[in-house]
Amino acid sequence: FFQTSFYGRFRHFLDIIDPRTLFVTESRLKEAVQLLEDYKHGTLPPGVTNKEVRLFASKGLFCAKLFQAIIHPDTNETIFMPFRMSGMVCAVVGLLLPNQTLASTVFWQWLNQSHNACVNYANRNATKPSPTSKFIQGYLGAVISAVSIAVGLNVLIQRANKFTPATRLLIQRFVPFPAVASANICNVVLMRHTELEEGIDVLDNNGNIVGSSRIAAKHALLETALTRVVLPMPILVLPPIIMSVLEKTSLLRSRPRMILPVQSLVCLAAFGLALPLAISLFPQMSEIETSRLEPEIAMATTSKTVIYNKGL
């Protein structure tokens, strides 16, 4: 799919987040990598028929999909299964549970931001090493900010006596969005703060490293942070609206035990839409004019633009 348009990126990431890529064995992945190498060098298994060539090509497309979903583009290392984009199934159901206690709010926010921290770290721009201390710093900052905001907003709502119980319950369901959105920004910035300090590699049109740019790193973090703000919108806004309607139906009124399973399905559908939409806002391999970067980088190449891995 063409990565120059939003629709092309959306189709691409819709393919990449296929949950089947989570269950690929190491041997299957090695086979896929080898098959892609064969394609790259224009070699095919000897004696194949036209039908087998078509099958081989179809298999090659799936192998390319596995490679893009599992292998990090900077390190060529396998991304740990739960922290791939295809494994980004956060604790959104827990965040939307009504009538949460202080303990449950803290737990679900901690679980959600712990997963986000690992996803951000695993899918970062990895052209420069990132020490463990930065990972711990980002993890603690994200979790503390999320929990503090969520608990603070819940306390304010509980003290707002002018609201009716129904209105208070509806507002409580929307509390996770500002908490998660603000925490996601802190999460991305703190988890990838090393990039701002040391810069990230920028490449010319031939794939050669031109230099390390802090300005490109700022653009990468800003774009990634914006995707993390957009990501929870459909997940945390749509399900409460849909559930407020469904809970009034005779089916759920007569079967209250069905509320949680139905809510889980609604959240899953919203997440399946939100993830590819959010990460498709900007190309993963972003382009920037050399004139906007550091003078030493602009002088090191004749290319008018350079490319960098924004990260996901």
Side-chain angles (χ1 to χ4, degrees):
F1 304 105
F2 291 106
Q3 300 296 291
T4 53
S5 68
F6 173 80
Y7 180 69
R9 294 192 296 271
F10 176 74
R11 293 284 304 276
H12 167 72
F13 285 115
L14 199 61
D15 199 35
I16 294 302
I17 66 170
D18 186 344
R20 291 180 297 171
T21 61
L22 294 174
F23 307 102
V24 175
T25 63
E26 189 68 24
S27 60
R28 181 71 178 87
L29 181 60
K30 289 182 179 179
E31 180 187 352
V33 173
Q34 183 59 51
L35 186 58
L36 290 175
E37 286 296 316
D38 292 339
Y39 271 126
K40 182 178 180 181
H41 295 96
T43 60
L44 286 173
V48 295
T49 64
N50 289 335
K51 181 179 180 180
E52 289 172 331
V53 167
R54 290 193 296 269
L55 180 63
F56 191 76
S58 176
K59 184 179 180 183
L61 290 175
F62 184 69
C63 289
K65 170 180 175 176
L66 293 183
F67 186 86
Q68 293 173 331
I70 299 175
I71 303 298
H72 194 285
D74 293 332
T75 64
N76 286 325
E77 295 178 354
T78 302
I79 300 174
F80 187 48
M81 183 190 68
F83 309 138
R84 301 168 192 165
M85 298 310 292
S86 54
M88 199 175 176
V89 184
C90 303
V92 291
V93 175
L95 292 175
L96 290 168
L97 291 176
N99 300 320
Q100 292 199 46
T101 63
L102 177 61
S104 65
T105 299
V106 171
F107 172 76
W108 288 113
Q109 289 291 347
W110 164 78
L111 184 64
N112 179 61
Q113 289 303 321
S114 294
H115 184 264
N116 284 349
C118 294
V119 169
N120 288 334
Y121 183 81
N123 295 275
R124 72 195 187 283
N125 179 298
T127 54
K128 293 288 187 297
S130 180
T132 306
S133 59
K134 293 295 182 181
F135 174 84
I136 296 175
Q137 181 183 14
Y139 172 78
L140 293 175
V143 171
I144 291 173
S145 63
V147 172
S148 300
I149 294 171
V151 172
L153 289 175
N154 272 314
V155 170
L156 289 176
I157 292 171
Q158 292 294 340
R159 293 182 177 180
N161 296 324
K162 63 179 180 180
F163 295 130
T164 63
T167 303
R168 190 183 298 117
L169 178 62
L170 184 62
I171 295 176
Q172 280 179 323
R173 286 180 170 177
F174 286 96
V175 164
F177 174 68
V180 172
S182 58
N184 283 352
I185 296 175
C186 296
N187 200 319
V188 169
V189 173
L190 291 172
M191 290 302 300
R192 298 175 56 178
H193 186 66
T194 305
E195 298 173 34
L196 294 175
E197 296 176 346
E198 301 182 6
I200 58 176
D201 289 348
V202 292
L203 315 174
D204 61 18
N205 295 330
N206 297 319
N208 300 316
I209 299 177
V210 176
S212 184
S213 172
R214 292 188 180 93
I215 296 176
K218 291 180 182 178
H219 282 268
L221 263 66
L222 176 61
E223 291 172 349
T224 307
L226 288 175
T227 64
R228 293 302 192 272
V229 173
V230 174
L231 177 60
M233 285 183 182
I235 306 169
L236 299 177
V237 173
L238 290 180
I241 296 175
I242 296 173
M243 288 305 300
S244 63
V245 175
L246 293 180
E247 287 174 359
K248 296 177 182 178
T249 62
S250 58
L251 176 65
L252 292 185
R253 280 185 174 181
S254 60
R255 298 175 179 85
R257 292 183 179 180
M258 290 290 294
I259 292 179
L260 186 57
V262 170
Q263 182 167 328
S264 300
L265 291 175
V266 171
C267 290
L268 182 62
F271 186 85
L273 173 67
L275 182 57
L277 281 176
I279 59 180
S280 299
L281 291 176
F282 307 98
Q284 182 173 0
M285 300 305 295
S286 295
E287 192 175 46
I288 187 171
E289 296 177 356
T290 52
S291 58
R292 300 173 61 187
L293 301 179
E294 292 84 347
E296 60 270 19
I297 294 179
M299 294 173 61
T301 180
T302 57
S303 299
K304 293 184 179 180
T305 60
V306 290
I307 302 170
Y308 61 91
N309 176 23
K310 171 184 68 66
L312 292 177

